[in-house]
Amino acid sequence: MSRVEPILPGAVIGIVGGGQLGRMTALAAARLGYRCHILTPGADDPAVQVAAAATIAPYDDPAALDAFAAAVDVVTFEFENLPSEALSRLAERRPVRPGPDVLAICQDRIREKAFLGGQGIPIPAYRPVESARAAQAAFAELGAPAVLKTARLGYDGKGQAKLGEGDDAAAAFARLGDVPCVLEAFVAFELEASVIAARDVEGRIACYPLVANRHVDHILSETTVPAAVPDAVAADAVALAGRIAQGLDLVGLVAVEMFITDRGGILVNELAPRPHNSGHWSIEASVTSQFEQLVRAVCGLPLGDPSPLGPARMLNLIGDDVRDVARYLAEPGAHVHLYGKAEARPGRKMGHVTWLDPTGA
Ligand code: AMP
C-alpha cells in the first residue's frame, strides 16, 4: 500500500454533525493541536460550542457543503442519519474518513446485515422485508418472538416492534410506516456488549476491549469495562470487530454492538462507524480515548494504545438524571462530563460520569 501523507496538527478537521460525539472529538482534536469545523443545522449544538468554526446549514445544502469542504482538510462524521450523497459530494473535494460507502452500509440495516453475512460474521437470523405480505411470510418462517426494525433512521429502539406469538406482522409493518424493514429472530442474550475498532490509513487495526452495556428503555444507561466474560469470548469479540473494520476498508472507528448468549456465543447486532456511547469511558480510563483515536485515524497519524488503565464504569446522565450532577461532582473519583444541552428532555443524553477502578462505586 502506498504511503498516505499525514494531515498534521494545525490542520482543520471537518466534522459533520453537531452532537456530543462531535463535541468530544473536537476537544480531543484541540489537545493534539487541530482545529475543528462543524457542519450542522443547529447553531447552538454541543459540538459548535467548543469548535473553532461552524457552518450552520442543512446537510443537503450543496452550497453549504462546498463552503464547508473548502474550509477543512479532512472530513469525518459523528452521526449516521445523513444523506450519503452529502458525504459523496464532500468526498469529491476532501478525504472523507470513514468514506461514504461505509456510511451507506451502516445506515441501512438491510445492507449492513448483507455485508456482515457476506463477511461470515455471526448475526441473528433475519429476513429483509419490503412489504406487509413479506413481513407476514418472514414472521411465519422465523417464528415468535421476533423484532421488526425499520432499515433506516432507527436509533435507541425507535423504529422497532417486538412480535410475540399470534401478533400481526403486517399491522406492525404498517405501524412502522410501510418502509423497508428487517425482521430479526429475538435473541435470548445473556449480555449486550460492544467493541470499538479503529483502523488507520495504512490498514493497521487497534481494538478497545469488550465492554458490557446495560440499557434502560432501549437507551444505553451503563457501560462496564471490561465485560465479565471468559477471556476466549472477549478475544473472539475483539477479533470479529477487527475483521469488520478490515472488511469495511474503514479509516476511522467502528463500534460493533453484540449479543453474548449464555453459552458464550456472539451475534453481531449492529454497527456504528463513529465514536460510540459505549466508548466514553476511554476518555479517562484508556491510554488513548476513542475520540483521540478517531482524530489519529482520520489524520493519518499512528493509532494510540487502546488499552484500559484498569476496570471502569460509565453511567449516562439521561434527561432529569442531570439534576443529580452536584452529587457526582462532589464524589471523589467521579469524572463528570456535561454536553452543554440547554433542555433536559426525557431520553436525551445530557452527560455522563466515569469511574476508574469502580469496585464498590
Ligand atoms: P438496535 O437499535 O438494533 O440496537 O436495538 C435496540 C435494542 O433492542 C438492543 O440494544 C436490544 O436490547 C434490543 N434488541 C434489538 N434486536 C434484538 C434481537 N434480535 N433480540 C433481542 N433483543 C434485541
Side-chain angles (χ1 to χ4, degrees):
M1 194 186 281
S2 65
R3 200 165 173 283
V4 180
E5 283 303 313
I7 294 162
L8 294 172
V12 181
I13 301 171
I15 302 176
V16 184
Q20 63 267 19
L21 302 175
R23 178 184 179 98
M24 290 183 273
T25 303
L27 293 171
R31 208 169 67 128
L32 284 181
Y34 291 94
R35 289 162 207 263
C36 287
H37 184 128
I38 311 296
L39 174 65
T40 175
D44 190 40
D45 276 1
V48 174
Q49 295 171 22
V50 305
T55 298
I56 308 300
Y59 299 120
D60 57 359
D61 176 339
L65 287 167
D66 293 353
F68 172 70
V72 306
D73 296 292
V74 61
V75 174
T76 192
F77 54 89
E78 63 99 66
F79 90 127
E80 282 135 273
N81 292 334
L82 294 172
S84 65
E85 304 75 43
L87 278 196
S88 302
R89 187 175 182 105
L90 294 171
E92 287 167 15
R93 291 161 176 80
R94 291 289 181 266
V96 175
R97 298 171 177 163
D101 295 353
V102 173
L103 177 69
I105 292 171
C106 297
Q107 71 181 182
D108 182 317
R109 290 184 195 272
I110 298 175
R111 292 192 62 177
E112 185 173 279
K113 286 180 187 296
F115 161 77
L116 291 168
Q119 297 283 317
I121 304 289
I123 54 175
Y126 83 101
R127 299 284 183 275
V129 295
E130 311 235 1
S131 68
R133 186 181 292 198
Q136 275 172 326
F139 189 41
E141 263 186 89
L142 292 181
V147 194
L148 188 64
K149 302 180 179 177
T150 58
R152 301 175 77 98
L153 301 177
Y155 68 99
D156 289 346
K158 294 188 174 60
Q160 300 196 10
K162 189 170 174 195
L163 298 178
E165 207 66 62
D167 282 347
D168 183 347
F173 183 83
R175 268 201 309 280
L176 290 180
D178 219 342
V179 292
C181 286
V182 295
L183 185 76
E184 265 178 52
F186 193 80
V187 179
F189 55 79
E190 178 87 6
L191 192 70
E192 287 193 78
S194 55
V195 173
I196 297 171
R199 187 166 175 273
D200 72 11
V201 289
E202 315 257 343
R204 285 178 294 243
I205 290 172
C207 293
Y208 289 89
L210 183 74
V211 299
N213 299 321
R214 190 173 63 82
H215 295 82
V216 175
D217 296 335
H218 294 284
I219 301 172
L220 181 67
S221 171
E222 189 178 15
T223 294
T224 306
V225 186
V229 298
D231 288 351
V233 176
D236 284 352
V238 166
L240 282 178
R243 274 172 55 197
I244 290 168
Q246 176 86 34
L248 287 169
D249 195 20
L250 176 87
V251 177
L253 303 182
V254 64
V256 181
E257 294 184 24
M258 308 173 185
F259 300 129
I260 314 286
T261 66
D262 55 0
R263 274 166 291 169
I266 301 172
L267 295 169
V268 170
N269 174 30
E270 66 172 352
L271 309 179
R274 53 166 172 78
H276 193 258
N277 196 169
S278 69
H280 290 0
W281 61 272
S282 64
I283 297 175
E284 287 88 13
S286 170
V287 179
T288 310
S289 81
Q290 64 166 342
F291 302 102
E292 178 176 331
Q293 196 75 302
L294 175 66
V295 170
R296 287 170 176 249
V298 304
C299 291
L301 303 181
L303 293 180
D305 178 357
S307 305
L309 301 173
R313 172 175 169 247
M314 188 280 318
L315 182 71
N316 267 341
L317 301 179
I318 295 172
D320 280 342
D321 293 350
V322 75
R323 289 171 191 253
D324 292 335
V325 71
R327 174 157 70 84
Y328 296 116
L329 286 167
E331 202 181 300
H335 298 272
V336 177
H337 296 252
L338 295 174
Y339 304 148
K341 298 181 185 178
E343 207 192 327
R345 290 195 292 270
R348 195 169 197 212
K349 290 174 179 169
M350 303 300 293
H352 72 269
V353 187
T354 299
W355 292 265
L356 268 116
D357 193 11
T359 358

